Amino acid sequence: MNCWEILNIEATTDRKRIKSAYAKKLKVTHPDDDLKAFQELKEAFDEALAYARNDVQPIFIETPEKYDDWPEIVIEETVTKEPKIPFEEQVQHLYSQYEKRIDISYWQSLLVGSIDWDTNEYFAYQEYIKEFLFNYYATIPKPVIQFLFTHFSLDMASQHSYHEDMGYSFESCSDEIYNVPPFSFQMTDSLKGMAREQFLTLRYAAYKSLKQGNLVETKQIIEQASQIFKEDADLLTLEGMQLFYNRLDKLQESDGTFKRSFSCFKKAVDINPNCETARFYAILIRAKRTGQLSDKRRHFLQAFEGGYVIHPDFFTGFIYYFAEDYEQSIYFWDKIPKEQLSSIKKEWTNALRQQIRISKKQGDYKTYQKQRLMLQEAKKIKGDGTKKWSWLIRLVIYLAIIGLIQGCIALMPERQYDSDEDTETSSLASEEQETGSDFRQVNGAEKRIQSALVSRFVEAYGTSDAENKKRDLIANDVAEDYQATMQRYMALPAFSDYTDSMKDSITMATIDAIYTLLTGDDGSELIIVSEGQKIIQVMGDNFEFLNTETVEEMKEQNAM
């Protein structure tokens, strides 16, 4: 076979066509798979370029003018030039040798002679490198890509030449190419040739799909890549990330353990201890489980540059939040967009409240004022829709129960009151029932009982050695239906900030229950709902999302 048959084109002096044919054949011809075929392709390419350059050229020497009478003599000599390997060919040859491809020093050596390029050569090679990176960036290490970007000023080039109608091209995805994940390219000898190239392409495709939120597609791509090679730390990390994001709604719940994800991240770190992304997610899950963060892991987070974690500031904030380091969680969450804050409104406001208390105790009033403003802004953020619907369902059920109770009470004889004060309040209650109001004024006896009950509750939660008191309170003064719920909140902060506001409390009642609203020093609100001498429910920012409509209605009724 001659060179043209090997390249699969007709004989031509068009160097661009020859290079294009060579690049096309090079994609399916690798030295690791068939060294002989690769050498034949290389020789055919050299022969075709030599034909196009026509290296053997005649040289004509003219005689001086003063010898005009002499007959013209033409001396023809054959001069053989040292063939110069084209830059494009050098790039392709370097790329085809995997061990050299992933070593940035070889690329630096290749471009040492670029200082001698003229302007036309520079811009021609710049265009070639753009096309080269566009075709192969998924299979090239990040340091090499960023080196080529810097050397050829590709960030500047893409800004000047980008047009919206260019479609999918280097200019349209230059940011994606420059910011490829820092994957490891150290592969075992068992993975080489076309299998290796296919694996690298699938690995990047899995990352890209995951970043776009296509979790089902990501899982399918990972499964394909695993059939080629499954002992890759980065592929295991991507698998762990896919499992993690598939259960992301459980991150803020107590039952979200992420065991399968953690197993993938741990195995990835065992294979490659330098896989920072796997270590980051492992620390996140471990912090959620234990509520602790060791000094070693804190140092790692301080030096961590982001790896290929999706939304690193968002999750770093959660790591510190789980470890109850609210100052650091505020620092990271303050950097994320407001639309992300809406999904963590509860955690964001809780972290701010904890730091407001600390700043106040430390006398750092500048930080205190700043954090109070942040808290006010946080309260205005629209919360997660799922949680709002959950509250709406609870509210509908609660109102239905109240309506049922009121219907039963309406069929019962009217209550008799002993004192004049109670009789007057009873009249007010009847009047408000007739007008359809949900609340009534409490009588004196009810208010004294409620005040004593709330005082015991606040005192129990405000002492440093309150565990036994809390448990006794829950067992004796909390309705059985809510005891399990109250037990889950035992680890939450004390309510000493509400003690001073007892005298300013707002107490209202329905027919079946009494509500007491307390306002804390930091502006937070707490509602204690009781029936008789039992607390039947506690609502507030430190427990669950506050039902603001209930609070406003209570305030309005109190004002009347």
Side-chain angles (χ1 to χ4, degrees):
M1 294 177 66
N2 60 36
C3 64
W4 309 113
E5 291 174 335
I6 294 173
L7 292 171
N8 199 24
I9 58 173
E10 297 177 354
T12 179
T13 57
D14 186 345
R15 292 171 60 187
K16 188 173 182 180
R17 188 178 174 191
I18 294 171
K19 292 172 185 176
S20 178
Y22 175 64
K24 186 176 180 180
K25 294 284 287 186
L26 194 61
K27 288 182 180 181
V28 296
T29 308
H30 288 265
D32 293 336
D33 294 330
D34 191 341
L35 181 59
K36 183 178 179 182
F38 177 75
Q39 290 174 340
E40 287 179 353
L41 176 62
K42 180 70 171 60
E43 291 170 0
F45 180 57
D46 293 340
E47 186 179 342
L49 284 179
Y51 176 84
R53 286 195 299 266
N54 192 16
D55 284 338
V56 180
Q57 301 177 5
I59 297 179
F60 299 93
I61 303 176
E62 297 183 358
T63 57
E65 292 181 0
K66 63 179 180 178
Y67 300 111
D68 289 339
D69 296 337
W70 289 18
E72 186 175 353
I73 301 174
V74 178
I75 303 175
E76 187 174 300
E77 294 183 0
T78 300
V79 178
T80 303
K81 294 182 179 179
E82 176 95 26
K84 179 182 177 182
I85 302 176
F87 174 72
E88 297 90 335
E89 183 186 341
Q90 294 180 57
V91 171
Q92 289 288 349
H93 185 63
L94 176 55
Y95 175 82
S96 67
Q97 302 173 82
Y98 185 77
E99 293 302 325
K100 292 183 178 180
R101 178 205 308 177
I102 65 176
D103 188 342
I104 192 173
S105 64
Y106 284 95
W107 294 92
Q108 293 168 337
S109 299
L110 174 65
L111 296 173
V112 167
S114 63
I115 194 172
D116 297 326
W117 294 345
D118 59 31
T119 304
N120 292 333
E121 286 179 315
Y122 176 81
F123 286 113
Y125 297 157
Q126 183 189 65
E127 289 300 313
Y128 173 76
I129 288 296
K130 286 163 61 177
E131 181 182 357
F132 170 77
L133 288 176
F134 178 72
N135 290 324
Y136 298 110
Y137 72 96
T139 60
I140 302 175
K142 184 172 186 174
V144 173
I145 290 175
Q146 295 190 341
F147 168 71
L148 293 174
F149 259 79
T150 302
H151 190 87
F152 288 95
S153 302
L154 296 184
D155 51 343
M156 298 286 293
S158 61
Q159 291 175 17
H160 293 158
S161 59
Y162 174 71
H163 299 283
E164 292 184 359
D165 59 350
M166 295 188 71
Y168 191 64
S169 62
F170 175 86
E171 284 74 19
S172 66
C173 61
S174 59
D175 287 341
E176 177 186 337
I177 296 173
Y178 184 81
N179 293 304
V180 294
F183 289 147
S184 171
F185 281 77
Q186 298 297 331
M187 301 293 170
T188 62
D189 293 336
S190 61
L191 184 65
K192 56 185 179 180
M194 287 301 297
R196 180 181 56 213
E197 303 303 317
Q198 186 180 6
F199 172 81
L200 296 176
T201 303
L202 286 171
R203 185 177 67 176
Y204 179 79
Y207 165 77
K208 186 175 180 179
S209 179
L210 181 65
K211 194 171 182 181
Q212 292 172 345
N214 302 323
L215 298 180
V216 175
E217 182 184 76
T218 303
K219 182 180 179 182
Q220 293 172 348
I221 297 172
I222 290 173
E223 288 174 351
Q224 292 179 46
S226 297
Q227 292 175 3
I228 301 172
F229 183 63
K230 60 183 179 181
E231 297 301 317
D232 177 70
D234 290 304
L235 186 67
L236 283 165
T237 301
L238 291 172
E239 182 180 358
M241 290 170 69
Q242 184 270 329
L243 293 167
F244 176 84
Y245 285 104
N246 197 40
R247 300 187 72 249
L248 189 57
D249 57 326
K250 301 294 183 183
L251 182 64
Q252 293 152 269
E253 298 181 9
S254 58
D255 61 343
T257 57
F258 303 95
K259 290 181 180 179
R260 291 178 61 197
S261 305
F262 185 79
S263 176
C264 290
F265 297 135
K266 187 176 183 301
K267 189 173 181 181
V269 174
D270 290 341
I271 292 173
N272 179 11
N274 295 322
C275 187
E276 292 189 334
T277 302
R279 289 188 64 189
F280 177 89
Y281 281 105
I283 289 172
L284 171 60
I285 296 172
R286 195 178 275 115
K288 175 176 172 53
R289 287 181 182 175
T290 65
Q292 298 176 351
L293 189 61
S294 66
D295 291 339
K296 181 179 179 180
R297 296 187 180 108
R298 286 178 184 274
H299 292 321
F300 169 79
L301 291 174
Q302 290 170 3
F304 182 61
E305 296 181 355
Y308 47 95
V309 173
I310 300 174
H311 305 309
D313 290 332
F314 180 82
F315 290 115
T316 304
F318 260 113
I319 291 174
Y320 286 109
Y321 182 82
F322 291 139
E324 297 185 2
D325 188 343
Y326 300 114
E327 183 178 10
Q328 284 297 314
S329 65
I330 290 171
Y331 171 77
F332 284 98
W333 282 344
D334 193 36
K335 297 192 289 183
I336 68 177
K338 282 191 176 181
E339 53 267 25
Q340 289 186 12
L341 283 175
S342 64
S343 65
I344 56 167
K345 180 179 178 180
K346 181 179 177 181
E347 291 80 5
W348 177 229
T349 53
N350 183 48
L352 287 169
R353 287 195 180 94
Q354 303 306 323
Q355 282 306 117
I356 285 171
R357 294 188 180 101
I358 293 172
S359 299
K360 186 177 180 181
K361 289 178 182 179
Q362 293 177 343
D364 186 355
Y365 292 103
K366 184 177 180 180
T367 303
Y368 172 78
Q369 292 296 336
K370 179 182 176 182
Q371 290 168 345
R372 281 185 64 94
L373 290 173
M374 292 171 70
L375 181 60
Q376 292 174 8
E377 291 298 318
K379 288 182 177 181
K380 296 177 184 177
I381 295 173
K382 188 175 181 181
D384 185 19
T386 305
K387 293 178 181 177
K388 286 195 169 184
W389 280 111
S390 175
W391 258 105
L392 182 59
I393 293 170
R394 292 183 190 181
L395 182 61
V396 169
I397 294 173
Y398 181 68
L399 291 176
I401 294 172
I402 290 177
L404 181 62
I405 294 172
Q406 286 179 338
C408 294
I409 292 174
L411 299 175
M412 296 172 62
E414 290 189 11
R415 296 171 59 185
Q416 299 296 321
Y417 297 92
D418 296 333
S419 66
D420 294 339
E421 179 185 0
D422 292 348
T423 304
E424 182 181 353
T425 306
S426 175
S427 301
L428 287 171
S430 301
E431 181 181 348
E432 290 185 4
Q433 285 180 36
E434 291 175 3
T435 59
S437 174
D438 290 335
F439 287 94
R440 63 176 176 81
Q441 295 287 346
V442 296
N443 60 52
E446 288 176 325
K447 193 161 187 176
R448 285 191 293 274
I449 291 172
Q450 177 73 354
S451 178
L453 182 60
V454 173
S455 295
R456 291 200 301 275
F457 178 83
V458 171
E459 181 183 359
Y461 273 81
T463 55
S464 58
D465 55 343
E467 290 302 315
N468 293 331
K469 290 185 179 181
K470 290 178 187 178
R471 296 187 187 280
D472 291 342
L473 177 75
I474 291 172
N476 299 325
D477 296 327
V478 178
E480 291 181 3
D481 292 345
Y482 289 92
Q483 286 183 8
T485 303
M486 294 292 292
Q487 288 285 359
R488 289 204 300 270
Y489 299 128
M490 291 292 287
L492 291 178
F495 285 84
S496 57
D497 287 348
Y498 293 103
T499 306
D500 295 336
S501 68
M502 282 295 299
K503 60 181 180 295
D504 299 322
S505 64
I506 299 173
T507 301
M508 300 293 291
T510 61
I511 295 299
D512 60 305
I514 302 174
Y515 291 70
T516 297
L517 171 66
L518 305 179
T519 303
D521 293 340
D522 61 352
S524 61
E525 293 168 325
L526 171 71
I527 296 180
I528 298 177
V529 187
S530 69
E531 183 178 18
Q533 297 188 46
K534 285 279 186 181
I535 294 173
I536 61 171
Q537 190 176 12
V538 176
M539 299 184 295
D541 289 347
N542 289 282
F543 287 91
E544 301 171 351
F545 278 117
L546 191 63
N547 187 332
T548 53
E549 292 181 2
T550 301
V551 175
E552 293 304 319
E553 191 169 359
M554 288 177 64
K555 289 181 178 178
E556 288 175 8
Q557 290 287 346
N558 188 68
M560 294 172 60

